[in-house]
Amino acid sequence: FTVYGPLGRPDMAAWMWAKNITEGQPLTLYRTHGALLRDFTYIDDIVDGVVRAMDYSADWAIFNLGRGEPQNVTELINSLEEQLEKTAIVKLKPLPPGDVPVTFADTSQARKYLGYEPKVSIKEGVRQFVEWYKGYTPPPIPANFTFPSVDPQRPNVTGVVA
């Protein structure tokens, strides 16, 4: 599910769109026949759920962690615009094949057994993320650094064949 917050993945919507809005570059928004909904969950809520799951006494259990409330992706864009004090340039594209218009976590088991209850709203989470983002300086990439190649005949760094 769509987790965001400080030190999140730069290929995820919150980070990419904050960068694009800040730099005056267009962001891509996929359109559907209805709304495009995602379960935006602030990292602190996920960490809370993971800690609760670790403290849960069972031989094994599976819990979905997320906000459990799908929200229109335009809510994320609107919150980023508000916090960055800039208007997004939005480029609409068709939803890619295989993508779905709605995703969200069924958190009922985590709520029932762990007392898991996400607390950070999208507006508050984006406020905290943007506050961090504005002060973040990425570490330099060494000049001799090369990215691992993806060769279907060789295992990658994770040991999984691509």
Side-chain angles (χ1 to χ4, degrees):
F1 307 106
T2 308
V3 180
Y4 69 99
L7 288 174
R9 286 179 29 204
D11 63 327
M12 297 295 282
W15 187 303
M16 286 192 314
W17 291 350
K19 181 179 187 296
N20 289 18
I21 292 169
T22 300
E23 295 175 357
Q25 298 297 317
L27 59 89
T28 300
L29 178 61
Y30 296 109
R31 61 181 153 198
T32 65
H33 294 294
L36 184 62
L37 306 175
R38 294 292 181 260
D39 194 2
F40 296 108
T41 311
Y42 192 69
I43 186 64
D44 290 3
D45 286 330
I46 295 297
V47 169
D48 176 62
V50 169
V51 170
R52 288 171 181 272
M54 289 170 42
D55 290 342
Y56 185 69
S57 180
D59 289 337
W60 66 272
I62 298 171
F63 298 105
N64 281 333
L65 300 177
R67 188 150 183 82
E69 299 171 2
Q71 296 182 332
N72 197 313
V73 296
T74 59
E75 287 297 315
L76 177 62
I77 295 169
N78 294 340
S79 294
L80 285 166
E81 288 176 322
E82 183 181 317
Q83 292 301 316
L84 292 166
E85 299 177 333
K86 287 184 136 183
T87 302
I89 302 166
V90 179
K91 183 171 61 174
L92 296 173
K93 283 189 166 184
L95 193 65
D99 205 344
V100 294
V102 181
T103 63
F104 66 99
D106 175 357
T107 60
S108 59
Q109 297 299 309
R111 290 173 190 266
K112 179 178 178 180
Y113 293 104
L114 305 178
Y116 174 71
E117 192 65 46
K119 295 174 180 56
V120 182
S121 69
I122 193 165
K123 282 189 174 284
E124 177 57 22
V126 168
R127 186 196 66 73
Q128 290 181 40
F129 168 71
V130 168
E131 182 179 310
W132 168 83
Y133 180 84
K134 286 179 175 179
Y136 177 70
T137 303
I141 297 174
N144 63 347
F145 179 81
T146 57
F147 288 93
S149 65
V150 178
D151 180 343
Q153 301 305 314
R154 291 185 354 184
N156 63 24
V157 292
T158 63
V160 177
V161 175

